[in-house]
Amino acid sequence: EVQIMEFGGGMVQAGGSLTLSCTASGLTFADWPMGWFRQAPGKEREGVSCLSGSGTSTYYLDSVKGRFTISRDVAKNTLYLQMNNLTPEDTATYYCAPDEGAECRPDTVDYWGQGTQVTVSS
């Protein structure tokens, strides 16, 4: 059984930073492309950033390029999302998930955690 847990959300002011982390049981991050997805109230879930299984290729949503950085620690089986210069538009619930389609699309994801809330105030 795959269980995914996200950590690190919180409330910050615009311009602030947060680092999200994700661990999982039943899933080895080194074997899967992994990603961060988010869903804001009233909006569809979207792929924010994804990392290839090899760890050599990344994808970033245009609106987060230059501000967010995805990384992983294979030894700890942990995925990270460093988020800098946050804006109120980044407010959402953030989810870590295996990017099974390798396209950073939420419709190809079968396993979801509970997510972690990020709230950015202006």
Side-chain angles (χ1 to χ4, degrees), residues 22-88:
C22 164
T23 62
S25 59
L27 184 69
T28 301
F29 288 2
D31 295 336
W32 285 89
M34 294 293 299
W36 288 96
F37 302 81
R38 70 185 180 187
Q39 187 164 20
K43 294 187 178 181
E44 293 186 353
R45 196 167 295 188
E46 62 182 353
V48 176
S49 181
C50 291
L51 182 67
S52 64
S54 65
T56 59
S57 180
T58 57
Y59 162 85
Y60 292 97
L61 187 67
D62 283 346
S63 62
V64 309
K65 285 180 180 176
R67 302 188 297 121
F68 290 11
T69 303
I70 190 170
S71 62
R72 70 181 183 184
D73 186 325
V74 171
K76 296 181 178 179
N77 206 41
T78 301
L79 186 74
Y80 302 97
L81 186 69
Q82 173 69 43
M83 305 186 296
N84 297 325
N85 195 21
L86 286 160
T87 74

Side-chain angles (χ1 to χ4, degrees), residues 89-111:
E89 289 69 36
D90 296 316
T91 295
T93 302
Y94 284 72
Y95 302 88
C96 162
D99 179 24
E100 296 167 71
E103 293 181 342
C104 214
R105 288 172 43 187
D107 60 326
T108 63
V109 174
D110 289 329
Y111 302 104

